[in-house]
């Protein structure tokens, strides 16, 4: 039986996940290059998700709290959830 940490390690080692992580890291670097350093409690969010054709251009990036950016999945689903094409 695989533990959660073993699964997470294997999942995050997949090439597609490495590519997505690199794109998220590049987005934060680009945002901070333009707007200055952000505190660790702030995430750089894509207004239009990368998997829906969004880019790392400055017009598609915004700073938002970790709670808002990572918490939209909890308790929200469907069209009303941030991250499903809503800005």
């Amino acid at each position: 039986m695989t533990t959660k940490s073993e699964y997470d390690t294997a999942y995050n080692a997949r090439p597609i996940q490495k590519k997505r992580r690199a794109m998220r890291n590049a987005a934060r670097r680009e945002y901070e290059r333009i707007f200055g350093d952000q505190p660790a409690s702030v995430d750089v969010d894509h207004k239009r998700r990368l998997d829906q054709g969004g880019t790392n251009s400055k017009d598609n990036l915004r700073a938002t709290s970790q709670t808002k950016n990572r918490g939209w999945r909890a308790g929200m689903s469907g069209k009303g959830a941030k991250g499903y094409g809503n800005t």
Side-chain angles (χ1 to χ4, degrees):
M1 186 168 157
T2 304
T3 66
K4 181 166 177 17
S5 64
E6 290 171 335
Y7 171 81
D8 288 344
T9 300
Y11 180 81
N12 289 323
R14 294 177 183 173
I16 189 70
Q17 292 306 320
K18 287 181 178 181
K19 181 180 178 183
R20 289 176 180 162
R21 185 170 52 251
M23 291 178 74
R24 290 190 303 269
N25 291 340
R28 182 170 186 104
R29 284 193 308 271
E30 177 66 10
Y31 188 88
E32 288 183 339
R33 184 186 66 79
I34 296 167
F35 298 105
D37 288 342
Q38 300 296 309
S41 62
V42 171
D43 278 352
V44 174
D45 180 36
H46 291 88
K47 294 176 186 177
R48 181 177 177 100
R49 292 170 36 157
L50 294 173
D51 62 359
Q52 292 180 344
T55 65
N56 282 345
S57 71
K58 79 173 192 175
D59 294 336
N60 192 45
L61 300 176
R62 62 182 167 199
T64 188
S65 71
Q66 285 180 351
T67 304
K68 182 176 180 185
N69 191 43
R70 299 178 191 188
W72 63 267
R73 291 174 191 87
M76 293 189 77
S77 63
K79 293 181 180 180
K82 181 246 149 220
Y84 285 99
N86 298 332
T87 56

